[in-house]
Amino acid sequence: MFAQTSITDLPASELGEPVSTEGNAVEWAWAMNAGSSVLGSVLAMVIAIHVGLNITLACGAVAYLLALALLPTLAPRRV
């Protein structure tokens, strides 16, 4: 889905060449996934230490349910 998106009318770079955005959305998706994984694991450890493993598991389930609820917003929009 991300790799199929393209942006036209891009501003030129400082050298006067068009800026290449091929694969840019995929790279950002990988970066967001990596950052979320690191921050999520640290947050899970902090929650587990302070309130326990059951609450940590419940927070994880809520996060996945929220992601599932937001899934339709990722559908490509027709213009």
Side-chain angles (χ1 to χ4, degrees):
M1 177 172 72
F2 285 116
Q4 295 174 354
T5 59
S6 64
I7 300 174
T8 57
D9 302 330
L10 294 173
S13 68
E14 293 177 4
L15 300 175
E17 299 172 358
V19 178
S20 173
T21 60
E22 191 169 319
N24 195 18
V26 174
E27 292 169 2
W28 272 103
W30 278 103
M32 293 297 109
N33 182 34
S36 298
S37 296
V38 170
L39 293 175
S41 63
V42 171
L43 185 61
M45 287 190 310
V46 169
I47 293 172
I49 289 170
H50 287 288
V51 294
L53 293 175
N54 288 333
I55 301 298
T56 304
L57 182 60
C59 289
V62 168
Y64 275 103
L65 289 174
L66 180 64
L68 184 64
L70 293 175
L71 192 61
T73 62
L74 293 177
R77 297 180 183 158
R78 295 183 183 182
V79 179

